[in-house]
Amino acid sequence: MTATSRSSGKLLLIAPAAVLLGVFLVLPYLNIIVMSFRVPGQGTPYGEGFTLGNYARFFADPFYLQQVANTLGIGLLVTSLSLAIGFPVAWQLARGDMRFRGLAYGLVLSPLLVGIVIRSYGWTILLGNNGLINRSLNSLGVIEGPLPLMYNTLGIVIALVHVFLPFMILPVMAAIQSVDPSLEAAARSLGASRATAFRRIILPLCMPGIQAGCILVFVLSLSAYVTPSLIGGLRVKTMAVTVVDALIDTFQWPWGSALALMLAATGAICVLIFARLTRMTWKAPRP
Amino acid sequence: MTEVNIENLTKIYGHAVKAVDGISMRIANGEFISLLGPSGCGKTTTLKMIAGFEEVTAGAIRFDGQDVAHTPAEKRDIGMVFQNYALFPHMTVAQNLAFGLEMRKIAKPEMQGRIAKVLEMVQLTGYDGRYPNQLSGGQQQRVALARALVIEPRILLLDEPLANLDAKLREEMRVFIRELQKRVGITTVYVTHDQSEAMSMSDRVVVMFGGRIAQIGAPDDIYDRPTSMEVAQFVGQVNVIRGQALEAAGAGRLHVSTVLGQVDVEASESFRPGTALTLTLRPEALTLAPGGGVGAQGQVIGRYYSGALIDYTVSLASGENLHVQTFPNIRFVEGDAVSVAAPAQAFWLMGPAQ
């Protein structure tokens, strides 16, 4: 086979994905970028001509900057909690007793099997002022009056961690599985305590999985709409909720597009910074 | 430099699975000892208990008299080489070697000196900056050895370190490891299922079956004077022949009549004349000559040429089959009439026939 025919074969293989991405991702994105520079319309989604006004409005109003900050805060909190909760689970799945691995794996995946709307409604039943948690605590006499679990950041974070935990656990588990257990034994034979062996050997080798899990959960949290809108209600709004409000409820297409792009941009910047900070300190070259 | 004493060491998994069943041995200072046995015989479990990776159910492990059976692995001051080398893939050779020294808080200049010295010892000077995946299997093996030795441990433990190497390299590494061990003078425990590896490297071999020690002894002891048929068969090919006790032939010796003639053999106990006995003969101790010569008469029925040696199967007129291994200077073909003989010292009396 000649080099050209081989490379054209490869092109053919990626063609379906390329077409799909081009038509349904790149084109809409370009459309949104163009839209974000359009003039807001009167009675129509957008008017004639182009302007920088939408972006000026965004940067001039501390309300929106604050909202971006809140959204990023929720993303960071959800990501770190997912890592803290998910790592031990991933470890157990990768290294633990074989007997319950199938069951545990199923439990980890189970949140993904139920639609996100249903799961979020479930949380409203649990977290609401008249919800299961508050009622139980009330009837047990532990608290007087409901704990504020819903319509605030806490509730959104709890529900998002539940929803996105599998996206942390699965890549981290795969990374842990790829680390040879005898490396830990080797480190200990050389005089390292369990903690040191973990920090110096296991953790650096799991880093690619941790990185992937964190980026997934962070990005998903930033763009989450259903859960924040159901649990945050009207009181706490994340950027994604505001974007949908602008686009669908108030028909401000240019303004909504600008907001959506600012959300995407801040997310991208955060991911870049994160990748830089956690960049793998080792780059074992291929032999 | 450490003497190791193992006393009634036992490992039970769950409730009843006895992986190691009350073994005892004394390993002298600077001695190279091999734990030899089939898989599942408890040799690796024993090594892991000495290393501290496996909890001890009962018994003691003493390093110079001090019981370490319940000391964590990192406090035992051991050097260990793993079957798959277990080099840290994200660290260079130098960083791998430095790891154990850092744990011991060795100052930088001394560290560099020791790393340079040990790299020279394993003939890898100049490889400091390589990552493990840039090294061949044999080189990785030597880095693993260097990493275990650079910390100057009390004892060196090796868990089937040559199992992943190809045959030729394996032979070279046997000599290499043994020479290095002698030079350093470190007490060494070596686990293997390969009898020739154990024989060629060790001062003494511990043969294990089913969690128990079947025999401890120098390689030639184990090979020439096995205490059980299991050991005899595990450490090499063996011919089993029957014999009949005749009268005693002086202190500790016995006249025995066999299909290969009457011989006098070492006997640790006395047998009444007429007792049926089992004797063993190593195939390479037998000699072949054209038919009609000295010894038992038979016919070649199988012949396997392996370069350095030829394996013959000879069917004796008496109906028994013998394996004979000879240098290829005398050649027979299938169907040839041959006579088989063996010197008296080639016979080993195993005991009364079962």
Side-chain angles (χ1 to χ4, degrees), chain A:
Chain A
M1 211 191 263
T2 65
T4 32
S5 70
R6 203 181 310 146
S7 68
S8 71
K10 273 183 192 161
L11 279 181
L12 213 64
L13 282 176
I14 63 165
V19 169
L20 208 65
L21 282 177
V23 173
F24 294 106
L25 189 79
V26 177
L27 286 183
Y29 250 111
L30 290 174
N31 193 18
I32 290 176
I33 291 172
V34 172
M35 182 62 71
S36 74
F37 290 104
R38 289 194 189 276
V39 177
Q42 306 289 332
T44 53
Y46 57 89
E48 289 285 314
F50 293 95
T51 175
L52 287 172
N54 299 314
Y55 290 101
R57 181 180 162 197
F58 174 81
F59 285 109
D61 193 339
F63 175 79
Y64 293 106
L65 291 175
Q66 184 61 47
Q67 206 167 65
V68 169
N70 287 347
T71 308
L72 290 181
I74 288 175
L76 286 176
L77 208 56
V78 170
T79 307
S80 14
L81 280 175
S82 298
L83 181 60
I85 297 170
F87 194 94
V89 178
W91 182 269
Q92 209 55 39
L93 280 173
R95 291 278 169 86
D97 193 340
M98 286 295 287
R99 219 170 352 149
F100 300 113
R101 189 172 297 171
L103 180 68
Y105 200 76
L107 286 176
V108 165
L109 287 177
S110 64
L112 299 179
L113 300 176
V114 184
I116 194 162
V117 178
I118 296 171
R119 263 178 293 158
S120 300
Y121 264 118
W123 277 108
T124 66
I125 293 169
L126 289 174
L127 299 175
N129 284 351
N130 241 336
L132 197 64
I133 294 174
N134 273 321
R135 274 213 198 160
S136 313
L137 291 178
N138 230 342
S139 60
L140 287 172
V142 181
I143 51 166
E144 302 207 358
L147 289 176
L149 298 175
M150 245 181 87
Y151 308 118
N152 58 19
T153 309
L154 177 69
I156 295 177
V157 169
I158 291 176
L160 284 182
V161 167
H162 170 240
V163 171
F164 294 142
L165 207 48
F167 296 99
M168 180 65 80
I169 291 175
L170 296 178
V172 172
M173 181 186 79
I176 294 172
Q177 272 170 341
S178 73
V179 177
D180 180 355
S182 70
L183 293 181
E184 193 193 343
R188 295 193 58 214
S189 79
L190 292 167
S193 63
R194 275 178 199 276
T196 307
F198 180 79
R199 189 171 50 80
R200 293 279 311 268
I201 309 297
I202 315 274
L203 203 55
L205 292 173
C206 292
M207 222 39 212
I210 293 174
Q211 234 175 356
C214 285
I215 290 174
L216 269 177
V217 170
F218 182 71
V219 170
L220 287 171
S221 303
L222 289 195
S223 56
Y225 169 72
V226 175
T227 309
S229 73
L230 281 176
I231 293 182
L234 294 171
R235 291 211 211 132
V236 183
K237 283 197 177 177
T238 62
M239 275 295 276
V241 176
T242 306
V243 169
V244 174
D245 281 354
L247 289 176
I248 294 180
D249 295 350
T250 59
F251 253 129
Q252 300 171 283
W253 288 8
W255 170 233
S257 300
L259 283 179
L261 285 175
M262 291 323 291
L263 173 64
T266 43
I269 290 167
C270 287
V271 167
L272 282 177
I273 292 172
F274 174 77
R276 258 295 161 78
L277 289 178
T278 62
R279 82 174 182 285
M280 285 174 284
T281 47
W282 59 289
K283 286 189 201 101
R286 298 290 112 203

Side-chain angles (χ1 to χ4, degrees), chain A residues 180 182-183 185-194 196-197 200-201 204-205 282-287, chain B residues 53 72-74 78 80 82 84 86-91 96 99-100 102-104 131 133-134 147 151:
Chain A
D180 180 355
S182 70
L183 293 181
R188 295 193 58 214
S189 79
L190 292 167
S193 63
R194 275 178 199 276
T196 307
R200 293 279 311 268
I201 309 297
L205 292 173
W282 59 289
K283 286 189 201 101
R286 298 290 112 203
Chain B
F53 299 135
E74 62 266 27
I78 48 154
M80 178 134 178
F82 296 80
N84 58 0
L87 297 177
F88 306 133
H90 57 309
M91 297 184 182
N96 264 280
F99 188 84
E102 285 166 24
M103 296 301 124
R104 284 164 174 72
Y131 283 91
N133 67 359
Q134 295 173 302
R147 187 179 66 178
I151 56 174

